[in-house]
Amino acid sequence: MREDADFIYEQVEKHHEWFKKSLPMIASENIISPMARELLISDFHDRYAEGSPGDRYYQGNIFVDEVELKAQELASDLFGAEYADVRPISGTNANQAVLMGLGGPGKKITAVDVSDGAHISSAKFGSVGFRGMEPITYPFNVEEMNIDVEGTKKMIKEEKPDIALFGRSVYMFPPPLEELRDAFEEAGCYVWYDAAHVLGLIAGGEFQDPLREGVEVMTGSTHKTLPGPQRGILLSNPRDEEMKQKLFYGVFPGVLSNHHLHTMAALAVSLAEHQEFGKEYAKQIIKNAKALGQALHERDIDVMCSHKGFTESHTLAIDVQEEGGGETLVEAMEEANMIANKNLMPWDDVNSAKEPSGIRLGAQELTRLGMKESHMDEVGEFIKRIVKDDEDPEKVKADVIEFRNDFQEIHYCYKEGLPAHERFSFLDKYD
Ligand SMILES: *Cc1c(COP(=O)(O)O)cnc(C)c1O
């Protein structure tokens, strides 16, 4: 019914208004650039493309193929990967493609435990389990908020997994890939790196460089620190042709049919923009995350790993057990227009995922809005007024709105470009 359609528009409009006045700090989110966003309403959305460029199951892909080839080329360049597959439609989908190609019942896989920050797709109750496998989890060092090097080395040598997976959604520090290299070689396992969170930092040259550190296949989401559309990517320097084929067929027909061409075009533009602005952006993200950690620490908030500068990525983990727990506090923050998520801490039971003792914060979107280190001190103060002072969220909200008013532009991307309806003549049909 028409009223229902109007109702939906109203809700989205309200959402826009709210987010314009809020501080977005969910570590897995970002804002797409104006040029990339325009492509999301293009006619690419209305089409199908199965297979790969030049080898399609449908006609009508002449220009789609040009875009896909360009996206592959940009991704190969940016990540130094011989094989770049830009078809996965999310990070989880890219992970499923790897599991389809390299995994399967009877195969052994090692991974980070969910309460130590791993993503559900690497868990028994997620994609790994769906492929008929159960991960063996690495020993973890809570003090360092990283996997335990010696324990993991020993475990890989003993277990001799088929696949060793590294990836986390609370990803402050790089896993010790170099130190584990001889264990990988001894086991002969595929080394797989899930870079969902840190993809943009890796592309900017500001985190570790997994494909140069013994990793053979890397997956990721393209909308977290890489500020592109909601989508995924698979990158590999395969050990041999057989591995490459397994990954290629793992993506299609393994886990995909059509691959959402409008977001593929948006991804290509985002990769081009990241080539130009990615380094500067990644640097500022990390500076801001460290500055926010410091600001909170100075205000007596328990940010993990103060002895290591809090983080080497965009993410901070905060222990708020004593202040009332993650759930209560992120709800209060939301009332004050600060958007963050509650998060499991290593000592939490996985079954308590709804009432964990931590909060996870990301600096990547605040950075994209043009904020620098000095602004992080102000953000830290807003958070402290909720977390420590238990101040009325309405009062904090008023100050948040005023502060955010100065940050309405999107940075680290091309500014020029026509609005979509001037750029794309096909939109006339909607007049
Ligand atoms: C976010 C994330 C993913 C995939 O998320 P999508 O929402 O499917 O893109 C995969 N692995 C890790 C470690 C993540 O943090």
Side-chain angles (χ1 to χ4, degrees), residues 120 122-130 133-135:
I120 36 166
S122 66
K124 180 173 183 252
F125 52 85
S127 303
V128 165
F130 190 73
M133 297 184 287
E134 182 167 353

Side-chain angles (χ1 to χ4, degrees), residues 7-259:
F7 172 80
I8 301 301
Y9 261 81
E10 257 169 49
Q11 305 316 305
V12 174
E13 194 51 41
K14 283 182 187 162
H15 174 90
H16 285 162
E17 278 305 306
W18 183 33
F19 267 76
K20 248 197 258 176
K21 296 175 179 168
S22 299
L23 298 176
M25 291 181 279
I26 305 265
S28 57
E29 298 181 351
N30 215 320
I31 328 168
I32 194 170
S33 77
M35 262 188 102
R37 190 182 287 277
E38 283 179 25
L39 292 166
L40 300 180
I41 57 167
S42 70
D43 185 76
F44 270 37
H45 167 269
D46 307 344
R47 306 301 151 203
Y48 250 70
E50 284 184 343
S52 53
D55 185 18
R56 298 292 194 195
Y57 293 79
Y58 297 91
Q59 297 314 115
N61 292 150
I62 294 172
F63 303 105
V64 168
D65 281 6
E66 293 296 331
V67 172
E68 188 166 332
L69 289 169
K70 179 57 80 178
Q72 286 172 2
E73 181 193 317
L74 288 164
S76 273
D77 250 33
L78 202 50
F79 294 98
E82 176 199 324
Y83 173 52
D85 205 315
V86 296
R87 294 173 296 175
I89 54 173
S90 72
T92 299
N93 185 230
N95 288 352
Q96 289 163 340
V98 174
L99 291 166
M100 187 71 189
L102 307 180
K107 295 267 169 69
K108 226 180 205 188
I109 185 167
T110 54
V112 178
D113 197 72
V114 171
S115 56
D116 297 332
H119 187 252
I120 36 166
S121 58
S122 66
K124 180 173 183 252
F125 52 85
S127 303
V128 165
F130 190 73
R131 191 73 178 104
M133 297 184 287
E134 182 167 353
I136 309 166
T137 55
Y138 304 121
F140 196 77
N141 182 331
V142 178
E143 189 66 15
E144 301 292 310
M145 281 301 268
N146 208 339
I147 56 175
D148 177 69
V149 189
E150 287 312 312
T152 300
K153 201 185 270 185
K154 189 159 158 271
M155 176 186 146
I156 289 177
K157 288 186 177 192
E158 277 171 18
E159 297 283 353
K160 297 210 178 323
D162 299 286
I163 305 169
L165 167 59
F166 298 88
R168 297 170 66 201
S169 307
V170 186
Y171 215 160
M172 280 90 76
F173 304 101
L177 296 174
E178 299 278 14
E179 290 89 330
L180 295 171
R181 211 157 176 159
D182 62 311
F184 297 150
E185 271 161 27
E186 209 178 300
C189 55
Y190 290 117
V191 185
W192 170 19
Y193 190 98
D194 180 348
H197 265 267
V198 289
L199 196 70
L201 306 179
I202 289 171
E206 295 296 318
F207 203 63
Q208 67 192 149
D209 188 1
L211 291 173
R212 249 59 54 199
E213 294 170 28
V215 166
E216 298 166 282
V217 57
M218 179 160 88
T219 48
S221 308
T222 56
H223 47 263
K224 296 183 181 177
T225 53
L226 189 100
Q230 292 263 350
R231 204 171 166 86
I233 198 164
L234 187 159
L235 303 146
S236 178
N237 287 324
R239 61 175 71 173
D240 51 26
E241 188 56 28
E242 187 195 341
M243 179 182 180
K244 187 172 169 179
Q245 292 298 312
K246 281 181 173 169
L247 293 172
F248 182 76
Y249 291 111
V251 175
F252 176 87
V255 297
L256 266 174
S257 164
N258 187 29
H259 68 87

